[in-house]
Amino acid sequence: MAKVHVCNVVVLDNPSLFFNPFQFEVTFECIEDLKEDLEWKIIYVGSAESEAHDQVLDSVFVGPVPEGRHMFVFQADPPDPLKIPVQDAVGVTVVLLTCSYRTKEFIRVGYYVNNEYVDPEMKENPPTSPQFDKLQRNILATSPRVTRFKIDWDDNPSMDGIPTPPSSAEKQMENPDDSNGPLKQIFQESNHSMEMEVM
């Protein structure tokens, strides 16, 4: 049984300019004291075509973590525009919030992100070369995709990496009514390593 349950994630400062930091307020619960730290990461998916364009925006170790409910704000710098393919700079992409214990990922919360120009004229006639300082980032905060993986919280590796159904708290975070977007279809077809499935 999982020793950590993510109760809620709140996306702060949203929508926001492209170069503003990502900010997530994370609330999680531990059912018992953890011997080692939790590692949280924010990953920006630069392209649905290849994981080579994924960027780990930041990672943070949280611990020691005693039994009970905890909350923290996780902030990360925006992605490096030079690592984003030109054709993927504007439009819909994904940002992932992951957590691992002993280097084993046990939960992934994914959000669709829409990058678009605020100026109506630039929306109508986008420049050939993306102008990131004119882009606004809008995270679809109401429709996260939560995937949990069964790991052994002690020392039995045979249980690692098996997807498991979400807990009741994580089910409340999900909105399955928006599960057929174009990017989700691309992720499924390309078998991307960061593919998000509603479990």
Side-chain angles (χ1 to χ4, degrees):
M1 183 172 69
K3 294 184 180 181
V4 175
H5 299 285
V6 176
C7 305
N8 194 33
V9 178
V10 179
V11 181
L12 305 176
D13 190 26
N14 184 54
S16 184
L17 295 177
F18 182 88
F19 284 119
N20 286 352
F22 283 86
Q23 297 183 65
F24 297 94
E25 182 186 274
V26 182
T27 304
F28 66 96
E29 189 167 15
C30 288
I31 63 171
E32 64 179 71
D33 296 353
L34 296 181
K35 296 178 182 178
E36 299 182 34
D37 293 351
L38 295 171
E39 182 183 14
W40 297 84
K41 291 181 182 179
I42 297 176
I43 302 169
Y44 185 86
V45 177
S47 173
E49 302 300 323
S50 170
E51 64 185 273
H53 301 290
D54 291 358
Q55 297 184 47
V56 177
L57 303 184
D58 201 358
S59 64
V60 63
F61 287 90
V62 176
V65 184
E67 178 182 347
R69 183 167 288 213
H70 310 275
M71 187 271 287
F72 72 102
V73 174
F74 191 3
Q75 179 172 307
D77 289 335
D80 181 351
L82 298 177
K83 297 180 180 178
I84 301 173
V86 172
Q87 67 273 16
D88 295 311
V90 180
V92 180
T93 186
V94 169
V95 65
L96 302 167
L97 173 69
T98 72
C99 190
S100 303
Y101 183 68
R102 292 179 170 175
T103 71
K104 302 164 188 171
E105 182 184 340
F106 64 89
I107 190 164
R108 178 183 306 165
V109 183
Y111 295 92
Y112 293 114
V113 181
N114 187 34
N115 296 312
E116 64 178 359
Y117 292 107
V118 179
D119 183 88
E121 187 172 329
M122 294 184 76
K123 274 187 184 180
E124 193 69 29
N125 301 294
T128 306
S129 181
Q131 296 187 22
F132 289 93
D133 59 334
K134 301 290 199 308
L135 287 174
Q136 183 183 67
R137 176 184 71 228
N138 190 0
I139 300 173
L140 189 56
T142 57
S143 301
R145 295 284 172 265
V146 181
T147 305
R148 295 172 67 233
F149 301 97
K150 185 179 291 185
I151 66 168
D152 185 80
W153 293 83
D154 299 307
D155 292 301
N156 181 7
S158 63
M159 300 297 293
D160 294 345
I162 303 172
T164 62
S167 67
S168 56
E170 288 157 356
K171 278 183 180 177
Q172 292 175 7
M173 291 170 56
E174 297 180 346
N175 182 355
D177 295 333
D178 185 42
S179 60
N180 295 313
L183 193 70
K184 183 177 178 65
Q185 184 177 358
I186 291 172
F187 272 57
Q188 289 172 331
E189 290 174 354
S190 64
N191 195 28
H192 191 283
S193 66
M194 295 298 179
E195 179 178 351
M196 295 182 299
E197 291 292 344
V198 181
M199 302 303 295

